[in-house]
Amino acid sequence: MEPKIVETDKPTTASGFNQSVPLSNHPLHLSPEYKSTILRSPTRPLMLVPDQMKNLRMPVFGDSCIGPLDHDLTKNARKNGEPIGERIKVVGRVLDASGRPLPNVLVEIWQANAAGRYIHKAEIHDAPLDPNFLGAGRLLTDAEGRYSFYTIKPGAYPWGNHYNAWRPNHIHFSVIGPHLDQRLVTQMYFPGDPLFAYDPIFQSVPKHARELLIARFSMDWTEPEFALAYEFNIVLNGRNQTPFE
Amino acid sequence: MTTLPITPSQTVGPFFAYGLTAHQYGYDFNSLAEGELVDPIAHSAELIYVSGQILDGHGQPISDAMIECWQADTQGQYSSEPIAYPPHQASFTGFGRLGTGTTRTNQFTFTTVKPGSTATDSAPHINIILFLRGSLRTLYTRLYFSDEPEANNQDALLCSVDAERRHTLIARKSREGHYQFDIHLQGSDETVFFDL
């Protein structure tokens, strides 16, 4: 089989927006270049529902759910030393589309290790496991919607979607916002990754919205002699009702 | 008012288990939510079990899906108390989460109580939130109960679903206290999903 570039266009900035671009920032359910969507995406139109259903409050998680090391993936699974790889810090805010910070939001993260290997039992990529790295963590946003965690920069890894398919470096995020329609699972990517153009999961997002998945390198948040930093803000649906302020 | 662009959705992928459902899969990390939405001891007299599979376009059960349930209590009230860890400190959370990869048949089973009606035009129901490898977006649906025909007939949302698709939202009572709710992603019984 020939290697195939999914789409040669580079991600564009939001300023490249024009009327022909679909309004949603989300991928379509069916995105055939990502083969698993073919048998796993709904074929019928989704049903519109009243706002009161979208506005249903979601569960709230308490401080007791977060252990002291849950936000530090470089420490939370140590057995006999430090995890191998490039230590990084990821910071950001969780906001709604109106720009309001969302406090006390549960953010869960999981990722591959520096060699591109998941600890998952079904993982078949023949790269080394790191005995000191689980690759999972969680946190609650603070009163200003801020979060931060330490981790090891994940490696790229091959997968079976097509000939010579590799996933760009990424960290998975699961976010439980305050309302039912603010339940988001997404992936954070790193700037300048040469695999973007070849990855149908990244490319499934409409072109105008792809840069929203790419963290920004942040010198400001870097910790000298310790870790580089990336900033990744997460924006969930806004509310439909008129705000009071 | 500023409007910020929404962060795009991405697939949960095949390897979510050690992060999101770690305890169920035997990983050395705690799980904030599992298959019990209530404390089974405190609610032993009124427990129900909701089981099912997530089926792809070939009717094959999916082993790498994650399903979340969020429901009201028997009085129709959603819990607003913060969920605590370890679990079971509260007798009702109403929130559960399971992966489909730990049983031979890729079946999930939630232990809960039947929710009360949350409004006069609303039948007892459970909100279902679904993630899986091969799904690029959060999938939302609802579970109603086959032994609530009168309430179901007065449920505003259910009645607005095309009559021939309504059965896809109704869990079938298989025996006392047990309900079966399979989710079909495609096919003639394709489950109704909501545009949230």
Side-chain angles (χ1 to χ4, degrees):
Chain A
M1 254 196 304
E2 292 294 313
K4 183 163 178 271
I5 296 179
V6 176
E7 189 179 323
T8 53
D9 296 314
K10 290 177 183 153
T12 59
T13 62
S15 60
F17 186 90
N18 67 56
Q19 292 299 322
S20 66
V21 171
L23 284 175
S24 174
N25 287 349
H26 293 306
L28 297 175
H29 292 274
L30 176 62
S31 191
E33 299 284 1
Y34 173 25
K35 287 183 181 166
S36 296
T37 66
I38 294 170
L39 288 176
R40 293 181 169 207
S41 54
T43 66
R44 313 269 194 111
L46 270 55
M47 186 178 151
L48 296 171
V49 297
D51 284 347
Q52 70 202 49
M53 186 172 167
K54 302 180 187 188
N55 290 336
L56 176 68
R57 300 290 299 194
M58 285 290 278
V60 178
F61 290 83
D63 290 333
S64 66
C65 291
I66 307 297
L69 295 179
D70 282 358
H71 71 292
D72 191 342
L73 283 65
T74 71
K75 292 198 175 112
N76 71 1
R78 284 192 194 180
K79 297 287 190 284
N80 57 10
E82 293 232 22
I84 301 295
E86 180 185 343
R87 192 190 293 128
I88 61 169
K89 182 180 186 180
V90 179
V91 302
R93 299 180 84 189
V94 181
L95 307 163
D96 75 9
S98 308
R100 282 176 287 212
L102 298 175
N104 207 45
V105 166
L106 177 68
V107 177
E108 296 165 279
I109 47 184
W110 71 103
Q111 63 168 84
N113 69 22
R117 172 83 184 255
Y118 285 93
I119 205 164
H120 195 285
K121 288 163 184 164
E123 165 72 284
I124 55 168
H125 177 37
D126 184 21
L129 282 168
D130 184 337
N132 295 305
F133 190 72
L134 173 71
R138 64 172 71 99
L139 51 93
L140 295 172
T141 58
D142 71 10
E144 282 80 46
R146 296 186 187 282
Y147 74 85
S148 74
F149 61 91
Y150 296 101
T151 189
I152 297 294
K153 190 173 182 185
Y157 58 86
W159 60 307
N161 187 70
H162 55 278
Y163 174 78
N164 204 14
W166 292 77
R167 293 299 328 280
N169 305 338
H170 63 277
I171 298 175
H172 294 266
F173 279 69
S174 167
V175 184
I176 299 183
H179 297 93
L180 185 63
D181 67 343
Q182 293 173 321
R183 181 75 183 91
L184 178 74
V185 164
T186 190
Q187 299 179 24
M188 181 201 105
Y189 298 86
F190 291 84
D193 197 316
L195 290 169
F196 287 151
Y198 304 87
D199 180 45
I201 294 179
F202 178 78
Q203 298 273 340
S204 70
V205 171
K207 198 182 298 181
H208 72 272
R210 286 176 199 157
E211 76 165 23
L212 300 170
L213 294 178
I214 304 171
R216 189 176 66 85
F217 172 71
S218 172
M219 203 64 185
D220 289 344
W221 285 103
T222 293
E223 296 193 9
E225 320 296 330
F226 186 72
L228 296 180
Y230 293 88
E231 184 175 8
F232 183 59
N233 294 321
I234 296 169
V235 180
L236 305 178
N237 285 331
R239 309 313 320 146
N240 291 313
Q241 71 267 32
T242 309
F244 287 103
E245 61 264 20
Chain B
M1 195 172 73
T2 52
T3 301
L4 300 177
I6 306 284
T7 302
S9 175
Q10 293 270 268
T11 178
V12 75
F15 300 143
F16 58 81
Y18 66 89
L20 301 181
T21 54
H23 184 257
Q24 179 197 356
Y25 284 75
Y27 292 103
D28 187 18
F29 194 51
N30 59 2
S31 291
L32 299 186
E34 300 190 57
E36 291 169 348
L37 284 68
V38 297
D39 180 340
I41 296 167
H43 291 83
S44 59
E46 48 191 356
L47 289 183
I48 63 168
Y49 302 90
V50 175
S51 302
Q53 295 172 314
I54 320 293
L55 301 150
D56 71 11
H58 284 159
Q60 294 300 308
I62 290 173
S63 64
D64 45 14
M66 185 179 89
I67 178 168
E68 292 178 345
C69 287
W70 175 227
Q71 68 161 75
D73 66 13
T74 54
Q75 305 301 309
Q77 298 294 316
Y78 283 91
S79 174
S80 56
E81 292 296 308
I83 290 177
Y85 191 86
H88 301 173
Q89 289 181 339
S91 63
F92 174 85
T93 64
F95 184 74
R97 174 193 281 174
L98 287 175
T100 56
T102 62
T103 62
R104 192 174 48 79
T105 54
N106 300 318
Q107 181 164 286
F108 60 82
T109 298
F110 288 97
T111 303
T112 186
V113 292
K114 191 189 275 189
S117 290
T118 55
T120 51
D121 63 347
S122 181
H125 64 270
I126 298 175
N127 302 287
I128 303 285
I129 311 173
L130 188 61
F131 305 92
L132 54 144
R133 175 177 67 84
S135 175
L136 289 160
R137 295 178 60 163
T138 310
L139 290 168
Y140 296 94
T141 187
R142 252 192 196 187
L143 178 159
Y144 293 90
F145 297 89
S146 65
D147 55 349
E148 299 283 348
E150 287 177 28
N152 289 344
N153 282 337
Q154 290 170 24
D155 185 273
L157 187 83
L158 193 56
C159 290
S160 67
V161 175
D162 289 343
E164 73 273 14
R165 298 191 69 196
R166 242 169 254 172
H167 71 281
T168 70
L169 301 181
I170 299 175
R172 184 172 45 80
K173 187 174 184 174
S174 53
R175 58 193 162 93
E176 197 55 43
H178 291 257
Y179 296 87
Q180 184 73 21
F181 186 67
D182 292 332
I183 297 174
H184 297 259
L185 293 166
Q186 299 179 352
S188 56
D189 290 326
E190 181 174 317
T191 299
V192 173
F193 295 103
F194 299 138
D195 185 1
L196 257 58

